[in-house]
Amino acid sequence: MLAAFAAGEPVPAGVAITARLDGTRLAGSAGCNRYFAEVVSRDGRLSVSPVGATRMACPGPGTDAEAKFLARLGAVVRAEASGDELRLDYELAGTRGTLRFVRAPVRD
């Protein structure tokens, strides 16, 4: 689950953004729509291919959160997994930040 868009910028309550990395394929929920992309490493830098997503209408705070997430996901330059966290560093319009994911508890 995405815990923060950047330091001091949490995900709105009730919005669930997820990520699953399987080899080089990245996919999950962007809050309302499903997204998918390929992760590419080139010249020592990481990038995410153009992100594809379904296009369902989304009510409430999910719409803004989804747009913010997808824009930042497309600007990822580095990834780091440690313990129960996945951190995706991005550079977007002169701004740097980190999408920080935490492992969601497994439900029975």
Side-chain angles (χ1 to χ4, degrees):
M1 288 285 226
L2 184 65
F5 291 106
E9 193 177 355
V11 176
V15 176
I17 297 175
T18 64
R20 177 174 292 228
L21 183 60
D22 183 12
T24 61
R25 183 164 172 77
L26 180 65
S29 170
C32 175
N33 288 288
R34 305 289 302 161
Y35 71 90
F36 50 91
E38 294 291 323
V39 177
V40 179
S41 179
R42 189 174 300 144
D43 299 328
R45 290 183 58 96
L46 182 85
S47 64
V48 175
S49 70
V51 179
T54 58
R55 296 185 180 255
M56 297 185 300
C58 304
T63 302
D64 292 339
E66 182 169 279
K68 184 183 296 187
F69 169 70
L70 292 174
R72 293 175 183 190
L73 182 63
V76 166
V77 295
R78 182 176 166 284
E80 178 183 355
S82 177
D84 287 342
E85 280 195 0
L86 171 65
R87 299 169 63 85
L88 302 175
D89 296 338
Y90 62 85
E91 296 176 7
L92 181 65
T95 300
R96 293 180 180 192
T98 301
L99 296 166
R100 186 174 62 86
F101 288 88
V102 294
R103 186 179 307 274
V106 177
R107 295 183 180 170
D108 292 333

